Structures are given as C-alpha cells and as structure tokens.
Amino acid sequence: MLVCGVDIGTTNLKVSIIDETGVSRWTRAVPTPRVSSASLAGVDPIDLLATVEKLVIEGWLAVGNGLALSAIATTGVGEDGVCVDETFTPLDHAIPWHDKRAALEAEEIRRSAAATTRAGIEMEETRTGAKWLWLRRHQPALFSQRTQWIALTDFPSVVWTGRAFISETLASRTGCYDVGKREWNDELLEYCGAPELPEVLRAGTIVGSMKSRSLIDVGAVNQNTLIVAGGHDHPIAAAVIQRVNPMARIDSIGTANVIYGESATFGLDRFDKYLAFMVPVQAKIGTACLGVFEFSSAAQSLKARGFDIRSTLDLPKMPGNPGFFEPSAAMPDDAGPRAVLEMAGITARRMFDHMRFAGVTDADIYATGGWSRSRSLLELRASIFGRPVHVLSEQEPAVVGAALLAAEGVGETVDFTRGVTTQTIEPDPNWVPFYEDKYQAFFNA
C-alpha cells in the first residue's frame, strides 16, 4: 500500500508518500506558487492544483513501482479560500490569511451582537469571516451568481472528486463555526455575508474517488484511489505526535510559533488573549487549544542588523547569559538573537499556562517545526519551561499526518510508532532558576 499526503502551507507546498508501516518513502517541498497583483491576492488555485499534481506524479514515479496510490488527503492553511462557480472554477485568487485588508470589517464584527465566544476565536482580519464581509463590499460581483466557498486546503480534493466540502478543522478557523455544537453559527454567517458553504466533513472521512485524468493517465492513481478529508495543518501535525503520546502538548517552532493542546472540559464561555479554541482532529470530544505567536518581525530586525538567526540555531549551545523579556516591547533595540528566542519561549510558556487554565493536562511537551532541529534552541526552551522537551525523528508531521489519515480512510491501521524515535532534551540546570524566579515574579504565578 502507498498513500499520499499533501501539505499546502503559506510558504511551502509539500507532498509525502508513505507505505503501510507509516514510514515516508518520498517527501519533497517546493515554494507555494503565488501571484503578485495590485490587490495583493496570494494564490491562484488552478496553479496550485497543477503544482500539487506535478509533485504527486514526481513522487509516484520515484517510489511507486507501478503500484497506484490507494488514497490521498490534504492539509494546510486554515483560513484561505476562494469563491467558485458550479464547475468549481475559481472566480478570483485566494487572499492570504495574513493580508490585513479586512481589519475594519473584523472590528465591526467583533462589536456586533453576532459576536460570540462559541466561535472559539475572536474575529480578526486573518479570519475567513472578516474576508467574506470585505469581499461583499469590495468585490460584490463574486456573489452575483451561484457561488460557493471552497477552502484552499480542500480545493484539490474537491476538484479530484467533484464533491464540494469543507474540512471541519478549517470550518472552525473561519470564526463562524460553533466549536462546541459542531455546526455553523447562522447569525455570524449572515452578518459576514458568507457565500454558500459546502457540507462539513470530519478529518478521515472518505470524500470520494479520484477523477483527475492527468493523474490517472500517468498511472499514479486509478478510479479506485480514495480522496480523504484532512484539514488544518497544526492540529493534524499534533495528531501525529499524539499517536506516540496521546496526552502530548505540542510546541511547533518556527518564525511562527504555534502551541497546541486538547481539553475535554473547556466550556467556550470566554475568549483568551493567548489562545484560540477549535475543533480537534476527527472531532474528538472536547476542544483544541491553539496559541499562535508571530515573531518574524523580530527575526527580520535581527537580519537588518547583520544577525543571521539560523547561525545561532546551528550552534550546539545557545551563547550568552539568561535574560527575561516580557512583553516583547521590553527588549532593547540592540537585542541579539538569544533575547529574541527567549522572548518567544516565555510567550510559549504563558500559552501553555493558559491551556492549563482551559483544562489541558500538564503533560509532556513535544517540539516540532523547522526550528526544532536546533538542539541549542530546545535546551533554551526546556530551561524556560523548567522541564524536558521531547522531539520526534519525523520532522514533517503535518504532511505525514495527512498521509496517515489517507491510510485510515482505506481501512489500514498504521502503527506509526514503529518508524519513529524520540529524543529528550533536558534543561540547563544553571539557567532554570533564573527563568523560574523571573517568570513567577512577573506573572505572580
């Protein structure tokens, strides 16, 4: 058996082919195809689909040995999407989630009577709901015909099967989905001017069978190849780690730092400035907690002053002495790489604390993401957290997680744990007391 996972990221597009043991036989990443225009639109879904299919074919030719892929699932960005017509032809480019054009609309929605904590996340300019309202006001022609919304991450699967749907973890990133009831909030949809929405499918649900002639004609797939629903990349990556430790909390480290955990008890009775709440993968009972911290601007500031943060990450030991910067504005203008990484680590610890307030068990922390390859950074994180940090040998959990969902969609139970190892990074005992004393004093913990 061979199955395929596709990860449609903001920066990179990845495809991985795994076998029945859960081991990746082939993985490759390329830049996510983007367009430049006056409207700052981010992705042409047709170009995206062509790039995905090219990668799938390349991977299959490398390791397929004539055996067609049994199933494919996609994961990726949470908020991006596009209006399509009845033939699933995109009517525009997808606006990237980080585009701030809908800031005024987001503020208006937050102040409205439709706003509710049941959505799990406050309406911001990054949310799909705010983008819908902006499109209604600035590109009304998109809504003048029978159109529906397709999430960018789901777009290849929709085209491949001819079945419109939205993965449930993506629905919960729109800001218009009731995370507790697992259904759309009609009042928010109306206020945001949402287009027609397709059915919601849980991760792991079979969407349909493959209909792409370009993939079938090559032999990479056949008409029995199943397409399986995936969803938002962060919870799908976390679900891979939770196959090793079901209680794991996840620290995904890169220029965007994402913290993830799951609670069985949180009642969605409030917003949290550190966290968003969403549907867990495969809609388990409870609520997923997601903390996102962008410190790319700080990294860019370092670069402008001649510091390459990657060279610091490559060192076996983080240079310098401990410092404590909270909030980030407390950092001096001439702060070096260690100070920026410390600031991010302190924010991550605060997110983990707020997860505990929301009912997430104080369990082991597992690091993932591109920067988790840095032993010096993990030691710094462990020292700030005051506890060990674990890291899996599998460094692409999102795309592998999509492939594992594909495998389960065809009825295969893959023992992923046989193919991975876990490394534990201990804190520096000389640093721990400093960070602990400062943290307790600042936050009155």
Side-chain angles (χ1 to χ4, degrees), residues 179-360:
V179 173
K181 293 181 178 180
R182 307 290 203 260
E183 61 185 32
W184 292 110
N185 182 298
D186 291 336
E187 188 175 1
L188 270 170
L189 290 179
E190 182 177 1
Y191 196 96
C192 295
E196 180 181 334
L197 297 171
E199 64 181 320
V200 178
L201 296 182
R202 296 177 180 178
T205 302
I206 295 174
V207 181
S209 56
M210 175 65 77
K211 294 179 172 60
S212 169
R213 292 312 316 175
S214 59
L215 292 177
I216 291 174
D217 290 346
V218 170
V221 302
N222 56 39
Q223 293 179 343
N224 295 319
T225 299
L226 295 179
I227 306 302
V228 178
H232 189 26
D233 50 5
H234 296 304
I236 285 182
V240 168
I241 296 171
Q242 289 173 336
R243 292 171 185 262
V244 176
N245 182 341
M247 303 300 293
R249 297 177 295 164
I250 287 78
D251 183 8
S252 179
I253 318 171
T255 50
N257 197 174
V258 179
I259 309 300
Y260 183 90
E262 293 181 4
S263 169
T265 59
F266 187 68
L268 297 171
D269 57 347
R270 64 184 184 276
F271 291 123
D272 188 300
K273 71 174 183 176
Y274 284 98
L275 303 174
F277 304 102
M278 60 182 297
V279 176
V281 173
Q282 293 179 294
K284 302 172 188 174
I285 294 172
T287 305
C289 304
L290 193 74
V292 181
F293 174 57
E294 296 278 352
F295 59 104
S296 55
S297 59
Q300 288 299 319
S301 175
L302 288 172
K303 186 176 181 179
R305 292 188 287 114
F307 291 106
D308 183 357
I309 202 165
R310 291 171 298 180
S311 63
T312 301
L313 297 175
D314 289 340
L315 296 173
K317 184 82 174 179
M318 191 66 59
N321 297 314
F324 190 90
F325 304 100
E326 175 59 35
S328 57
M331 285 199 308
D333 293 337
D334 60 350
R338 176 170 181 140
V340 171
L341 296 172
E342 284 172 326
M343 177 266 294
I346 292 162
T347 302
R349 176 171 173 175
R350 196 61 183 156
M351 289 177 177
F352 280 129
D353 280 349
H354 277 243
M355 282 186 181
R356 190 173 69 255
F357 303 155
V360 177

Side-chain angles (χ1 to χ4, degrees), residues 9-93:
T10 302
T11 304
N12 292 313
L13 172 65
K14 301 172 186 174
V15 169
S16 184
I17 296 175
I18 71 170
D19 60 21
E20 63 277 0
T21 68
V23 173
S24 176
R25 298 273 296 276
W26 184 91
T27 300
R28 189 180 173 202
V30 299
T32 301
R34 293 196 169 273
V35 296
S36 298
S37 70
S39 65
L40 300 176
V43 175
D44 181 340
I46 299 300
D47 288 346
L48 175 73
L49 177 62
T51 305
V52 168
E53 292 190 342
K54 180 180 178 181
L55 278 178
V56 171
I57 292 170
E58 180 183 344
W60 178 78
L61 289 174
V63 300
N65 295 320
L67 178 66
L69 297 171
S70 297
I72 304 176
T74 64
T75 184
V77 290
E79 294 82 7
D80 300 9
V82 65
C83 286
V84 300
D85 64 17
E86 293 177 327
T87 67
F88 303 132
T89 300
L91 302 178
D92 197 6
H93 295 146

Side-chain angles (χ1 to χ4, degrees), residues 291-443:
V292 181
F293 174 57
E294 296 278 352
F295 59 104
S296 55
S297 59
Q300 288 299 319
S301 175
L302 288 172
K303 186 176 181 179
R305 292 188 287 114
F307 291 106
D308 183 357
I309 202 165
R310 291 171 298 180
S311 63
T312 301
L313 297 175
D314 289 340
L315 296 173
K317 184 82 174 179
M318 191 66 59
N321 297 314
F324 190 90
F325 304 100
E326 175 59 35
S328 57
M331 285 199 308
D333 293 337
D334 60 350
R338 176 170 181 140
V340 171
L341 296 172
E342 284 172 326
M343 177 266 294
I346 292 162
T347 302
R349 176 171 173 175
R350 196 61 183 156
M351 289 177 177
F352 280 129
D353 280 349
H354 277 243
M355 282 186 181
R356 190 173 69 255
F357 303 155
V360 177
T361 302
D362 192 21
D364 289 345
I365 296 173
Y366 284 72
T368 186
W371 288 10
S372 68
R373 296 179 176 90
S374 169
R375 190 191 187 286
S376 62
L377 177 59
L378 295 187
E379 182 185 47
L380 178 66
R381 283 275 165 126
S383 302
I384 292 171
F385 297 159
R387 61 191 303 158
V389 172
H390 310 280
V391 61
L392 299 186
S393 55
E394 175 54 64
Q395 292 293 314
E396 300 291 352
V399 69
V400 169
L404 291 172
L405 285 172
E408 291 169 354
V410 296
E412 293 287 341
T413 300
V414 177
D415 186 3
F416 171 75
T417 62
R418 291 189 302 171
V420 297
T421 58
T422 304
Q423 181 182 14
T424 298
I425 308 298
E426 298 288 343
D428 185 324
N430 296 314
W431 294 348
V432 171
F434 174 88
Y435 291 122
E436 187 65 23
D437 290 347
K438 292 289 187 180
Y439 189 89
Q440 297 292 338
F442 189 89
F443 292 109

